[in-house]
Amino acid sequence: MSGFVNFDDVDPAVSALLGKQRQREGEKRLSPRERRRKARERERAKRRLAGRVNWDLPPALKERLNAIAEEEGVPVSQLATVLLIEGLRRLRSGELQLRKYYSDSPRFRFVLEVPEVPE
Amino acid sequence: MTIITVSNQKGGVGKTTTAVTLAHGLAREGFSVLLVDLDSQGNVADSLGLDPGNDLYRLLFPGLAQPLAQVVTPSGRERLDVIRSDKHTAALKVALAAVDFREYVLYQALADTPHDVIVLDCAPSIDLLHTAALVAADYLIVPTRLDQLAVKGVRDVLQTLQAVRRAGRTQCELLAILPTFYDRVTSESHAQFEHLVNVFGARVWPPIPVDTQCRVAPRLGKTLWEYAPRTRALVGVEVGNGRRVGGYVQALERLVKLLR
């Protein structure tokens, strides 16, 4: 059978499912106290997920943020949060005008021209 | 044109549900699909709420075979046609046994189809039509339950495929082993799933969760997409971080990627 098809590796989605199942099977063998503790940990992790985003950023911007966070010794999530809030404040006050960034290319509508990432 | 065979020599593993769900899913994705029932039980017609018919018999019976265009039956769903089977298929198999090159009979009959994809739903037995389906197919999907005999059942199908390939009669490739009736609650289901993956590796696709809607939908003559589009057999199970794994949606995504 092994000369017929290549059975190397495991499908990544299957691997994720097996990992999750192994975790569940492992927890079944814990004491009730340990299981309650694990459940509380999961709840805490779930609450953190409420703010998790998956947005696309220009690679240069992502690198810059990581570099600043490392220089300042702060988590990059907190740095991004501060910068976004500051940007929101400027948008709210009129200091930042989004229309300045609207693309005027006839090929694209509802697209912003993203400025260069400053050094 | 691509031909996909759905086969397992064991019964009750979800072959027809898989064939019907994937065929209708592909049609909804814009492919023109022909679903061919090779099982004399005629479950494909039942699952789609169609009247029974002897389309397959009329297509293949030696000396009386009709052109494909005359036997194809609309399913009532856009871009999905059907060739139905019924008890006459048993007589068809007897008649075909005396025909030369009988293993090519399906391939030849389907060769001029205008459809993009043909899905062949096999009967749970090793017979002439099963071999013909392997000869005709480009890809094989093997649905399998997660029980003690599952690995043996899958091995039997693969051995049949290997034999047909060795005889130079087919280029059919194993596309996926698709675990069905996956129950994440029981340790036994998990253990069997792990065992299947240990034996067959990356060819095991994410499983189809056990789901009562798979029984209800065909009873009403509807596909899962029509009856319960958010049911877990379609959308899979959650594995954390909002991700879902498994289900016919994920299987369909992979098929569409392959076909495009």
Side-chain angles (χ1 to χ4, degrees):
Chain A
M1 200 69 63
S2 60
F4 169 51
V5 287
N6 179 11
F7 289 135
D8 293 332
D9 302 327
V10 173
D11 185 293
V14 167
S15 193
L17 189 56
L18 283 174
K20 192 76 185 164
Q21 283 304 105
R22 278 189 203 121
Q23 189 185 10
R24 283 169 161 243
E25 291 298 310
E27 281 184 21
K28 277 182 189 173
R29 288 190 281 272
L30 297 174
S31 66
R33 193 176 173 188
E34 277 294 301
R35 263 185 264 153
R36 282 195 295 273
R37 188 176 67 82
K38 287 278 180 190
R40 283 197 300 270
E41 276 175 18
R42 273 199 299 274
E43 280 305 308
R44 274 200 295 270
K46 217 169 165 178
R47 278 197 296 272
R48 280 199 296 271
L49 282 177
R52 186 152 295 173
V53 297
N54 187 7
W55 294 338
D56 291 320
L57 296 177
L61 177 59
K62 187 178 157 189
E63 278 168 25
R64 195 79 192 95
L65 287 173
N66 280 325
I68 296 171
E70 196 168 332
E71 280 165 25
E72 299 291 330
V74 298
V76 69
S77 293
Q78 288 182 359
L79 171 65
T81 303
V82 165
L83 293 173
L84 281 169
I85 290 175
E86 192 53 33
L88 273 174
R89 191 193 59 75
R90 292 179 62 214
L91 185 69
R92 193 81 187 272
S93 69
E95 207 181 322
L96 173 60
Q97 297 284 334
L98 266 188
R99 72 174 78 92
K100 193 174 119 184
Y101 300 99
Y102 288 168
S103 172
D104 51 18
S105 162
R107 283 184 66 202
F108 302 107
R109 296 173 67 195
F110 314 118
V111 165
L112 297 178
E113 300 272 6
V114 175
E116 285 238 356
V117 177
E119 284 298 319
Chain B
M1 178 199 33
T2 305
I3 301 180
I4 300 168
T5 285
V6 178
S7 171
N8 189 327
Q9 288 144 212
K10 287 168 67 66
V13 299
K15 288 186 294 297
T16 299
T17 302
T18 298
V20 168
T21 307
L22 292 179
H24 190 206
L26 286 169
R28 283 157 51 91
E29 288 291 324
F31 294 92
S32 167
V33 182
L34 177 62
L35 174 57
V36 182
D37 189 356
L38 300 178
D39 187 353
S40 59
Q41 293 180 73
N43 290 329
V44 167
D46 291 337
S47 299
L48 293 171
L50 302 175
D51 291 333
N54 62 350
D55 305 335
L56 187 71
Y57 176 89
R58 291 187 295 124
L59 177 69
L60 299 179
F61 196 87
L64 299 174
Q66 295 175 6
L68 183 65
Q70 287 182 18
V71 303
V72 165
T73 302
S75 69
R77 283 88 176 169
E78 213 179 332
R79 290 181 295 272
L80 178 63
D81 293 325
V82 179
I83 291 179
R84 297 164 299 176
S85 176
D86 68 359
K87 59 181 190 284
H88 291 92
T89 298
L92 169 65
K93 286 192 273 191
V94 172
L96 284 174
V99 170
D100 289 336
F101 304 107
R102 50 191 170 273
E103 60 271 21
Y104 293 102
V105 64
L106 200 53
Y107 176 76
Q108 284 163 352
L110 298 173
D112 294 329
T113 181
H115 298 86
D116 301 318
V117 184
I118 300 177
V119 178
L120 305 176
D121 179 25
C122 291
S125 56
I126 312 173
D127 60 17
L128 188 150
L129 286 177
H130 180 255
T131 305
L134 292 177
V135 167
D138 299 295
Y139 298 105
L140 170 64
I141 293 177
V142 185
T144 177
R145 294 186 81 123
L146 292 168
D147 57 33
Q148 199 180 350
L149 300 175
V151 170
K152 183 181 181 311
V154 175
R155 273 214 173 103
D156 288 345
V157 177
L158 298 186
Q159 277 170 357
T160 306
L161 178 60
Q162 198 171 16
V164 177
R165 278 173 66 114
R166 263 207 229 104
R169 304 292 169 89
T170 187
Q171 301 297 315
C172 178
E173 279 178 46
L174 172 64
L175 177 61
I177 295 164
L178 187 64
T180 53
F181 298 90
Y182 173 69
D183 176 5
R184 68 188 319 193
V185 173
T186 60
S187 304
E188 179 61 15
S189 191
H190 168 68
Q192 294 299 341
F193 183 42
E194 259 204 3
H195 182 43
L196 199 70
V197 174
N198 284 338
V199 175
F200 297 110
R203 281 294 179 260
V204 178
W205 274 11
I208 309 301
V210 64
D211 191 341
T212 11
Q213 307 299 356
C214 292
R215 290 205 306 267
V216 176
R219 184 165 56 77
L220 300 174
K222 293 184 188 295
T223 69
L224 284 173
W225 308 106
E226 294 163 333
Y227 180 67
R230 279 192 273 276
T231 196
R232 61 172 176 260
L234 287 180
V235 303
V237 295
E238 218 183 288
V239 290
N241 294 343
R243 271 196 315 155
R244 302 197 78 96
V245 160
Y248 285 114
V249 167
Q250 191 164 34
L252 182 65
E253 279 168 5
R254 291 169 178 217
L255 263 186
V256 168
K257 201 171 163 187
L258 175 79
L259 293 168
R260 283 194 179 137

